Amino acid sequence: MVLLFVCFCLFVCFSLLVLLELSLMLALLTKATQFFSSGHTNNWAVLVCTSRFWFNYRHVANVLSVYRSVKRLGIPDSHIVLMLADDMACNHRNPKPATVFSHKNMELNVYGDDVEVDYRGYEVTVENFLRVLTGRLPPSTPRSKRLLSDDRSNILIYLTGHGGNGFLKFQDSEEISNVELADAFEQMWQKRRYNELLFIIDTCQGASMYERFYSPNIMALASSQVGEDSLSHQPDLAIGVHLMDRYTFYLLEFLEDIHPASQANMNDLFKVCPKSQCVSTPGHRTDLFLRDPGSVLITDFFGSVRKVEITREAINLTNPTELSLRNELKSEALFYVDQLPVADIIHQKPKQKDWHPPDGFILGLWSLILLVFFKTYGIKHLKHIF
Amino acid sequence: MQNAFSSPQAADLGDLRQSDEAESNEDRKAFTPPPPNDQFQEEMVIRPLYSGDIYASFQFRTQWDTDFLHDGKKVSHYRLFPKSLGQVLSKFSVRELHISFTQGYWRTMQWGQPFIPSPPGAELWVWFHHTVTDVDGNWKELTNVLSGIFCASLNFIDSTNTVEPSASFKPLGLGNATDHRFLRYATLPREIVCTENLTPWKKLLPCGSKAGLAVLMKSEKLFHSSFHSQAVHIRPVCKDWQCTSTAWELRQTLNVVFDLYTSGQGKKEWSLFKMFSRTLTEACPLASSSKIYVDVTDNPGVNPLISTAVVLGDRRTYSVYDLTKKETFGQLRSLNLLLRWKGENDMLRPPLHAERYVSGFGLQKGEIHTCLYNSHPYRAYPVLLLDSLPWYLRLYVHTLTVTSKTRENKPSYIHYQPSKDRLRPHLLEMLVQLPPHSVTEVTVQFERALLKWTEYTPDPNHGFYIGSSVISALVPSIVAMDTNSTRDRPLFSSFFPTKEESSYFMRVYTEPLLVNLPTPDFSMPYNVICLTCTVVAVGYGSFYNLLTRTFQVDEPSAPLAKRLANIIRRLRGVPLL
């Protein structure tokens, strides 16, 4: 009787242990699948400020605060394309040069000491922006100005400036429409230039910019609906301009609490800046996105969490080859050139210019003369003349 | 993406065979790294100026005994020399590269002469190797690569602002052939300099901004100044005193002038902490020499560690602080220099000074005046004036006049290359002899062109910048110059090579000009469309309606009583009212 009881207890314990182990393994497996299931392997960010002139200080501060958060969460400068249409930090009207503040009383300098701007000033045009997105840049463009994303990249695109219903103004001289933007994203999708894309826009009537998207895997956020204006946050009396826009101000506050291991998801991002704080109604669009927004982490777009797999294989390194000494071929003494050789300059011969055949006006003139000559005298009379 | 790690210790893994281990150990013992053939020196000069401002000049020099332009072997192991610049040099076969970014204008009359002159904005001039076949193609790609390295819009340099000077800008490094077909010069007067240009510049230094003199470079203080200039100069120099082979020299210079009133609070008392908000704690460990020179010529006192040097034609006395010695830092292990001076006497007038301005009125014509001042009491010397003007200022070269002391002064050499619309700028080079103690004025008239409406910048009413004129001169020096280039001299006195003892080479830049071109009103297309549509809708529309519509008289409706009466009458079958 007792033996049976003991056996029964042992059996229960054993089964419990097995169940526990199985559940642990299952948890690990789901964590592993979750670990590898988000599908992206690298992160890129394209941050654009499209406004020129000193009174648009707040747009540059907007972009720089997103740049600061994105760098803090791990995306390196080589993976960020930062476009600023005007220089506010070293502007002669800035009472504190080399700084761009986001809070009044100059609390937070979002410009910092380690900033790399890829497109500056007049380079920020609609054409350059679309070329960066689609990758169709001239071959001599340096790497820091290219968006070298592939089909496993998650890209964050942030635009700010002055906009309207269906367009965004670039530098007070041209516009990009929502149709052009949607087509650019479709080109990116067809060329497999992104895995998932998060599009944030902070302009007046920003929601109109994402209305026309039709490519998959795009999630979009805007600071205001169609017919509403996005308002700025607060002016600083020492600097004399408004420092930030409301939506990005509260977005920065939200992002300051995020660290690389944070588990906050997109639903928290949608709640940033409700109507009571923002005065405009922020909108978002998730119908093109395949995953559920609740399962998408903030760091999937704003951070650069690398997934590393450790291996135990060894690699044999070859020994470095002996460096051969450079042969001393030259034996005559070299000298520095005279910086202002007056005698040589005065007696300088004119450059031998290559002979080019005459073109344009001269050619036309000579052909006219010859035509008149031959018409007057005729071919068959020529042998009498010459 | 999977990162494969390999364990550094072969003994930890049991996978390697014993023979492999023995072989690798043996080879590891046999291989010794060769002695380093590059060296790094850093130096700072602090010079109090007569106006109460203070001038600080940093120079960082990396000298490397290698050959970038050697065809066979590609250089692959970089130690102190930055790899990004080394690869640029070998790919584009560059013999010399000089690039500078400047914010502000150097006021020669108040501050004297700078150690390394630079024009406002960005300036780039390059000597290519004589084996290059397509110089223009290499130049275009080089400007794009440099724009990526320095985060600047150097990609705006194209054929409309590049010139090929025929006599100015001789190479500053070693070399025999000076065929000017391999020289290209361009400036961007509107280029803004800010922290984003300083950040990659600092990253080129071997110690970065973490140790040595570069610790002082904080952008918030550096850009709050009257003048800020950072430059990179690469050239081949003599490897040793025999000068039979070349070594490559990279000089990174940063010149800054702090204003008495905005940074100095009105007192002629400056310290390192007041200037840079930092103090020095150590020299760069990779530097073979790290020194600070403080100019005490005009304020002699009881100063330790005195040395003299001949710079800019004058012998100056310096107080030297060697940062590689521990004693310099004292008990607190930090160095903060304090300078206090009275400065009552007048400054010695600089021998050469230049100004430039545009005169005239309206948006059609104008005249450019360049004034060259020779303040030497009895010596005349030649200067080479280089002017590069964009194509939209149509110069009338027949109106070019050079006058000194109200008499015509004919230049002994003129090289003029006219512009081609949208292809090439004007290039004017003249060798003028400046008489002693005189003002020479060069004037030329021009007409402003009307650009196509797409060629205007987004803010055209600001105006268009014209690059500085460059004046190269051999100025007589007060003290005999040292022509032996191999003697050990401080860096700031050995930038320009000296060939004669009685004169030294100097380059002066004038101000950039700001000219307004006739600017159209860009809202006009919108206005025209509105007006035309209104006229068409109201005027033509009404006219069309008048012509094509037929009119019918419409009977007014009868009052209620009449209508009722008609109904009754219809019922009765009687004719209606």
Side-chain angles (χ1 to χ4, degrees):
Chain A
M1 211 40 207
V2 173
L3 204 67
L4 223 67
F5 185 64
V6 164
C7 283
F8 182 66
C9 286
L10 274 167
F11 177 70
V12 165
C13 291
F14 184 67
S15 57
L16 272 171
L17 268 166
V18 167
L19 270 168
L20 199 70
E21 204 178 303
L22 272 171
S23 62
L24 255 170
M25 267 179 62
L26 202 70
L28 271 171
L29 257 171
T30 44
K31 212 162 171 182
T33 44
Q34 208 176 37
F35 197 63
F36 286 102
S37 72
S38 68
H40 76 281
T41 59
N42 55 76
N43 285 81
W44 286 82
V46 179
L47 311 172
V48 184
C49 160
T50 60
S51 308
R52 173 163 277 275
F53 305 122
W54 172 245
F55 50 82
N56 291 319
Y57 183 103
R58 58 190 188 277
H59 297 140
V60 172
N62 287 350
V63 175
L64 286 173
S65 23
V66 177
Y67 173 75
R68 174 205 147 80
S69 312
V70 147
K71 253 181 99 154
R72 196 176 52 83
L73 292 171
I75 303 188
D77 269 314
S78 54
H79 282 226
I80 303 178
V81 177
L82 179 60
M83 303 171 87
L84 296 180
D86 201 0
D87 172 57
M88 299 301 164
C90 287
N91 196 315
H92 296 293
R93 284 163 135 163
N94 194 346
K96 298 206 83 180
T99 57
V100 173
F101 292 107
S102 63
H103 288 60
K104 71 167 186 233
N105 301 326
M106 302 184 193
E107 283 165 22
L108 182 61
N109 174 17
V110 288
Y111 195 57
D113 214 16
D114 184 19
V115 58
E116 288 186 16
V117 182
D118 302 304
Y119 286 84
R120 342 195 270 168
Y122 298 131
E123 290 179 291
V124 179
T125 56
V126 173
E127 187 192 337
N128 280 352
F129 175 58
L130 292 177
R131 279 184 188 277
V132 163
L133 287 184
T134 53
R136 292 191 175 149
L137 290 158
S140 50
T141 318
R143 285 177 74 98
S144 59
K145 287 186 166 174
R146 288 180 188 257
L147 179 66
L148 298 165
S149 57
D150 51 26
D151 63 322
R152 314 278 273 149
S153 313
N154 273 11
I155 309 182
L156 165 71
I157 297 185
Y158 178 83
L159 298 176
T160 183
H162 288 290
N165 190 354
F167 67 92
L168 170 63
K169 190 169 73 157
F170 265 71
Q171 292 218 43
D172 214 21
S173 65
E174 49 181 0
E175 299 131 14
I176 186 170
S177 63
N178 48 6
V179 177
E180 278 178 355
L181 197 56
D183 287 341
F185 287 157
E186 177 64 13
Q187 276 194 53
M188 286 173 78
W189 173 252
Q190 298 212 358
K191 286 163 83 162
R192 297 287 178 262
R193 280 171 68 79
Y194 69 89
N195 176 33
E196 283 166 354
L197 203 137
L198 176 63
F199 175 79
I200 306 182
I201 184 160
D202 188 351
T203 63
C204 302
Q205 307 191 48
S208 62
M209 290 304 284
Y210 62 64
E211 274 171 2
R212 300 291 196 113
F213 290 167
Y214 54 95
S215 319
N217 272 351
I218 301 185
M219 187 169 354
L221 280 107
S223 61
S224 55
Q225 299 292 334
V226 175
E228 284 179 351
D229 285 335
S230 287
L231 301 175
S232 60
H233 187 60
Q234 51 185 326
D236 182 301
L237 295 174
I239 299 178
V241 284
H242 285 258
L243 293 181
M244 282 275 267
D245 277 333
R246 283 177 187 253
Y247 182 73
T248 315
F249 182 82
Y250 291 107
L251 181 69
L252 175 67
E253 236 179 53
F254 171 75
L255 288 173
E256 288 285 298
D257 290 332
I258 307 283
H259 53 89
S262 159
Q263 295 293 311
N265 57 36
M266 282 294 160
N267 285 333
D268 303 324
L269 193 61
F270 296 153
K271 293 199 204 102
V272 162
C273 208
K275 198 172 161 88
S276 54
Q277 284 174 328
C278 249
V279 185
S280 57
T281 320
H284 55 89
R285 181 178 173 179
T286 53
D287 56 314
L288 294 166
F289 207 74
L290 290 176
R291 287 193 289 155
D292 169 41
S295 68
V296 179
L297 298 176
I298 301 278
T299 50
D300 275 353
F301 289 102
F302 284 89
S304 177
V305 183
R306 294 300 185 92
K307 297 172 172 56
V308 174
E309 199 179 284
I310 300 182
T311 170
R312 296 196 133 261
E313 284 172 25
I315 294 178
N316 284 331
L317 297 172
T318 56
N319 284 312
T321 51
E322 274 292 319
L323 296 165
S324 55
L325 290 163
R326 200 159 51 101
N327 293 334
E328 303 285 337
L329 291 166
K330 303 175 264 285
S331 56
E332 76 276 3
L334 301 158
F335 49 88
Y336 288 102
V337 177
D338 203 359
Q339 288 298 305
L340 194 69
V342 178
D344 291 339
I345 291 172
I346 293 173
H347 299 116
Q348 202 165 343
K349 282 203 187 52
K351 273 192 295 195
Q352 295 288 351
K353 275 213 280 273
D354 306 322
W355 181 80
H356 294 287
D359 60 348
F361 176 70
I362 302 290
L363 189 70
L365 186 70
W366 276 106
S367 52
L368 182 71
I369 291 169
L370 286 170
L371 188 73
V372 169
F373 180 79
F374 284 120
K375 238 178 131 61
T376 331
Y377 292 105
I379 302 287
K380 48 188 192 291
H381 292 280
L382 270 178
K383 57 180 187 291
H384 298 291
I385 299 165
F386 289 108
Chain B
M1 212 162 53
Q2 294 175 351
N3 294 340
F5 290 95
S6 68
S7 179
Q9 298 300 325
D12 278 353
L13 295 173
D15 299 338
L16 276 181
R17 286 190 301 261
Q18 284 291 73
S19 57
D20 278 336
E21 196 181 309
E23 199 178 67
S24 52
N25 272 341
E26 195 181 43
D27 283 339
R28 221 175 281 133
K29 267 184 253 165
F31 173 72
T32 48
N37 50 8
D38 50 5
Q39 55 156 333
F40 175 65
Q41 295 163 300
E42 54 179 17
E43 179 184 287
M44 179 162 94
V45 183
I46 302 180
R47 190 167 102 192
L49 301 170
Y50 286 87
S51 52
D53 309 321
I54 193 152
Y55 172 34
S57 170
F58 293 84
Q59 281 211 34
F60 301 93
R61 182 171 94 152
T62 307
Q63 189 168 327
W64 193 19
D65 179 22
T66 184
D67 197 356
F68 284 117
L69 303 174
H70 192 68
D71 287 319
K73 221 161 33 73
K74 236 178 24 162
V75 178
S76 53
H77 180 63
Y78 291 85
R79 201 175 77 104
L80 295 176
F81 201 93
K83 183 172 176 184
S84 49
L85 289 180
Q87 288 179 326
V88 162
L89 293 177
S90 18
K91 180 161 184 215
F92 299 111
S93 308
V94 168
R95 199 172 113 195
E96 255 186 59
L97 180 108
H98 299 269
I99 183 167
S100 74
F101 298 97
T102 310
Q103 180 202 61
Y105 175 65
W106 182 270
R107 296 172 205 289
T108 317
M109 292 307 278
Q110 288 163 316
W111 299 339
Q113 295 288 347
F115 295 122
I116 315 260
S118 53
E123 185 201 39
L124 172 67
W125 58 281
V126 175
W127 274 92
F128 288 96
H129 204 244
H130 58 84
T131 54
V132 172
T133 46
D134 181 16
V135 182
D136 288 318
N138 275 19
W139 170 251
K140 185 163 164 56
E141 285 198 32
L142 177 67
T143 51
N144 278 304
V145 166
L146 289 175
S147 86
I149 294 177
F150 291 106
C151 287
S153 344
L154 295 174
N155 45 321
F156 283 131
I157 293 178
D158 55 7
S159 65
T160 59
N161 47 21
T162 308
V163 287
E164 220 179 276
S166 62
S168 309
F169 292 104
K170 294 257 182 257
L172 287 171
L174 290 176
N176 303 342
T178 56
D179 187 350
H180 279 261
R181 281 182 300 147
F182 297 102
L183 169 64
R184 291 289 183 274
Y185 173 81
T187 90
L188 291 172
R190 204 174 177 175
E191 191 64 17
I192 299 156
V193 185
C194 207
T195 313
E196 64 250 21
N197 304 111
L198 186 65
T199 308
W201 189 93
K202 282 197 287 193
K203 287 182 182 164
L204 294 175
L205 295 169
C207 282
S209 56
K210 299 192 172 38
L213 290 171
V215 155
L216 297 175
M217 294 181 187
K218 289 293 153 194
S219 54
E220 283 174 14
K221 284 291 194 171
L222 281 182
F223 289 102
H224 197 45
S225 55
S226 307
F227 178 83
H228 170 97
S229 169
Q230 61 198 54
V232 171
H233 301 276
I234 303 178
R235 57 179 178 168
V237 292
C238 291
K239 187 168 85 168
D240 49 22
W241 63 275
Q242 283 160 328
C243 213
T244 46
S245 60
T246 60
W248 282 88
E249 179 194 76
L250 162 71
R251 277 196 199 219
Q252 287 181 254
T253 64
L254 194 138
N255 293 328
V256 60
V257 175
F258 291 103
D259 189 57
L260 175 66
Y261 296 104
T262 53
S263 317
Q265 287 126 37
K267 282 190 289 200
K268 284 184 185 172
E269 184 184 304
W270 291 92
S271 69
L272 281 184
F273 189 77
K274 195 171 172 190
M275 290 197 275
F276 304 106
S277 71
R278 289 282 184 290
T279 57
L280 290 166
T281 50
E282 55 166 350
C284 174
L286 299 167
S288 61
S289 98
S290 178
K291 291 199 174 97
I292 300 184
Y293 292 85
V294 181
D295 191 327
V296 293
T297 321
D298 303 309
N299 303 283
V302 182
N303 288 310
L305 318 150
I306 292 285
S307 90
T308 61
V310 176
V311 65
L312 298 171
D314 195 9
R315 182 171 297 278
R316 314 282 297 179
T317 319
Y318 294 93
S319 179
V320 185
Y321 296 86
D322 192 343
L323 296 178
T324 47
K325 295 201 179 76
K326 266 206 162 36
E327 309 75 78
T328 323
F329 295 104
Q331 278 271 334
L332 296 165
R333 291 215 296 203
S334 94
L335 175 67
N336 186 11
L337 299 167
L338 178 68
L339 290 97
R340 209 182 285 136
W341 74 98
K342 297 241 180 58
E344 304 297 341
N345 41 345
D346 284 324
M347 187 179 71
L348 193 68
R349 267 190 82 128
L352 177 64
H353 170 55
E355 276 172 3
R356 193 163 75 144
Y357 55 91
V358 170
S359 68
F361 59 89
L363 287 175
Q364 195 199 0
K365 289 188 289 212
E367 196 170 346
I368 299 181
H369 297 251
T370 311
C371 299
L372 305 165
Y373 296 86
N374 177 3
S375 58
H376 203 279
Y378 52 86
R379 288 279 298 269
Y381 50 85
V383 300
L384 188 60
L385 173 66
L386 170 74
D387 247 322
S388 161
L389 300 158
W391 63 268
Y392 41 82
L393 296 188
R394 300 195 199 282
L395 287 187
Y396 293 122
V397 188
H398 72 279
T399 57
L400 176 69
T401 56
V402 183
T403 48
S404 344
K405 289 183 178 170
T406 67
R407 272 194 312 191
E408 207 202 313
N409 183 351
K410 196 154 179 285
S412 29
Y413 170 79
I414 299 186
H415 171 72
Y416 174 63
Q417 191 184 55
S419 67
K420 270 194 184 168
D421 271 9
R422 298 175 182 89
L423 276 182
R424 209 168 64 185
H426 296 275
L427 172 66
L428 180 63
E429 270 187 282
M430 291 193 296
L431 185 69
V432 182
Q433 183 85 358
L434 298 184
H437 205 68
S438 66
V439 178
T440 306
E441 199 170 312
V442 179
T443 58
V444 64
Q445 287 179 6
F446 66 90
E447 203 180 66
R448 299 168 213 236
L450 186 66
L451 300 177
K452 292 184 184 166
W453 75 290
T454 48
E455 289 172 345
Y456 286 98
T457 54
D459 52 351
N461 289 301
H462 182 87
F464 288 77
Y465 283 90
I466 313 296
S468 315
S469 299
V470 188
I471 294 141
S472 319
L474 271 179
V475 177
S477 65
I478 303 168
V479 179
M481 303 289 293
D482 187 7
T483 52
N484 185 356
S485 58
T486 53
R487 206 174 313 158
D488 194 28
R489 280 189 295 187
L491 292 176
F492 60 90
S493 65
S494 61
F495 187 65
F496 289 113
T498 43
K499 284 260 173 176
E500 288 170 49
E501 283 187 358
S502 58
S503 55
Y504 65 96
F505 178 74
M506 197 162 82
R507 205 171 267 146
V508 175
Y509 291 91
T510 63
E511 300 100 324
L513 301 172
L514 185 60
V515 294
N516 267 341
L517 292 182
T519 310
D521 183 359
F522 293 99
S523 62
M524 275 316 282
Y526 168 74
N527 294 340
V528 166
I529 291 170
C530 281
L531 188 67
T532 318
C533 291
T534 311
V535 166
V536 167
V538 173
Y540 176 71
S542 319
F543 194 63
Y544 178 79
N545 282 338
L546 274 171
L547 287 178
T548 53
R549 289 231 187 109
T550 53
F551 290 96
Q552 288 166 337
V553 179
D554 198 18
E555 279 198 14
S557 60
L560 186 61
K562 223 175 181 181
R563 267 191 273 150
L564 277 172
N566 275 340
I567 292 168
I568 297 168
R569 282 193 170 214
R570 218 182 286 134
L571 285 172
R572 282 172 57 192
V574 172
L576 298 171
L577 281 168

